[in-house]
């Protein structure tokens, strides 16, 4: 079993889901008392969030790259960055190590294509929805990406940072997301990528009129499959 290196803490709420899911998948696939081999580097999200807000992405990338090097030195044989937004600096991280960084957008794209869809909505932080680093990565796979209008983007972003990153899960916020997804489906979205690892705390397939693609679960599935050297078979949302 290859050792999975996790760059986490951004936020720790979703990183906890990464750890849980990885161990559950290994247990399900190997049975018995098997669990995942994991090294975790957990950063202080307050520091990273401040760098995000001030546009200091190069410094954020430098800090993540240093953590990645430490994970490799500790024995990690692959890396997963436990956040969608910070994949903005994925190339900087990959350049700092010799082990592979599994890109979360690639895992999402594979699942969408496997489902036979071509046009999907993307929900995430404003950084993820508005900047090119994530949408263009998905588009390379031939997908058409739809994002909400500005007012809805602001609501999605606010709920992530003011609620989900703090472990707050509210029914009224779930309804807001449901309504946004519904509007996106009405303008052509065949499915929706939950492009923020915290969103899965709030939204499941039961909360969406179109297929949901949970990036946390899909990312972990890809990591566990590589760890166990088996073909990735993403589980249902």
């Amino acid at each position: 079993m290859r050792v999975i290196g996790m760059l986490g803490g951004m936020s720790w709420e979703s990183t906890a889901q990464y750890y849980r899911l990885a161990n559950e998948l290994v247990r399900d696939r190997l049975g018995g008392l098997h669990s995942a081999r994991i090294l975790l580097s957990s950063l202080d999200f307050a520091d990273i969030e401040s760098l995000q807000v001030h546009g200091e992405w190069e410094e954020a990338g430098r800090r993540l790259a240093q953590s990645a090097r430490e994970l490799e030195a500790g024995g990690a044989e692959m890396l997963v960055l436990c956040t969608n937004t910070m994949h903005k600096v994925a190339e900087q991280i990959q350049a700092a190590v010799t082990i592979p960084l599994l890109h979360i957008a690639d895992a999402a794209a594979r699942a969408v294509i496997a489902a036979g869809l071509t046009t999907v909505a993307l929900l995430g932080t404003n950084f993820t929805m508005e900047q090119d680093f994530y949408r263009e990565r998905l588009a390379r796979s031939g997908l058409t990406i739809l994002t909400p209008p500005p007012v809805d983007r602001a609501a999605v972003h606010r709920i992530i940072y003011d609620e989900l990153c703090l472990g707050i899960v509210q029914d009224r916020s779930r309804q807001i997301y449901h309504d946004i997804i519904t509007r996106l489906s009405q303008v052509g979205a065949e499915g929706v990528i939950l492009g923020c690892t915290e969103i899965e705390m709030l939204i499941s397939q039961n909360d969406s009129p179109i297929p949901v693609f949970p990036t946390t679960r899909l990312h972990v599935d890809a990591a566990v499959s590589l760890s166990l050297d088996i073909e990735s078979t993403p589980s249902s949302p």
Side-chain angles (χ1 to χ4, degrees):
M1 192 189 305
R2 296 185 180 93
V3 179
I4 302 170
M6 292 185 175
L7 285 166
M10 302 164 284
S11 68
W12 71 261
E13 292 282 352
S14 63
T15 302
Q17 302 306 311
Y18 266 82
Y19 184 82
R20 177 182 60 80
L21 286 167
N23 283 290
E24 288 178 351
L25 285 172
V26 169
R27 179 197 61 199
D28 292 347
R29 293 179 181 184
L30 298 183
L33 297 176
H34 284 289
S35 56
R37 297 187 64 202
I38 294 171
L39 289 178
L40 171 62
S41 178
S42 189
L43 287 83
D44 183 348
F45 188 37
D47 295 339
I48 299 300
E49 190 270 344
S50 178
L51 295 172
Q52 290 175 345
V53 169
H54 292 94
E56 297 180 28
W57 296 100
E58 185 174 352
E59 173 59 20
R62 186 193 66 78
R63 295 188 189 188
L64 287 170
Q66 178 59 35
S67 292
R69 284 190 289 266
E70 292 168 358
L71 286 171
E72 182 175 26
E77 296 170 271
M78 70 189 76
L79 292 174
V80 289
L81 178 55
C82 306
T83 160
N84 283 271
T85 296
M86 293 313 298
H87 277 74
K88 181 175 173 67
V89 297
E91 292 182 3
Q92 192 174 347
I93 296 169
Q94 182 63 85
V97 295
T98 62
I99 56 178
L101 172 69
L102 280 63
H103 202 292
I104 196 168
D106 293 345
R110 285 194 298 270
V112 172
I113 292 168
L117 308 184
T118 58
T119 302
V120 286
L122 173 64
L123 300 183
T125 66
N126 277 337
F127 309 110
T128 299
M129 292 186 289
E130 296 176 358
Q131 298 182 21
D132 293 335
F133 71 94
Y134 201 95
R135 292 183 290 109
E136 287 189 355
R137 185 90 179 197
L138 294 169
R140 290 179 201 170
S141 298
L143 300 177
T144 298
I145 308 303
L146 304 179
T147 54
V151 171
D152 286 348
R153 290 202 302 270
V156 170
H157 183 90
R158 177 188 61 77
I159 289 168
I160 290 169
Y161 279 89
D162 293 352
E163 298 177 16
L164 300 180
C165 286
L166 300 175
I168 300 169
V169 178
Q170 301 190 91
D171 287 339
R172 64 181 182 182
S173 296
R174 182 177 292 109
Q175 186 62 50
I176 289 171
Y177 270 56
H178 174 273
D179 293 345
I180 291 171
I181 294 170
T182 298
R183 288 192 287 273
L184 287 164
S185 73
Q186 292 168 347
V187 296
E190 302 167 309
V192 56
I193 293 174
L194 305 183
C196 173
T197 52
E198 283 82 15
I199 295 178
E200 286 157 69
M201 298 164 58
L202 185 68
I203 297 295
S204 68
Q205 187 58 66
N206 292 334
D207 306 304
S208 172
I210 52 179
V212 165
F213 295 92
T215 53
T216 297
R217 179 171 288 276
L218 294 169
H219 202 198
V220 174
D221 184 273
V224 168
S225 294
L226 181 59
S227 174
L228 300 179
D229 196 22
I230 60 177
E231 183 178 354
S232 179
T233 53
S235 54
S236 300

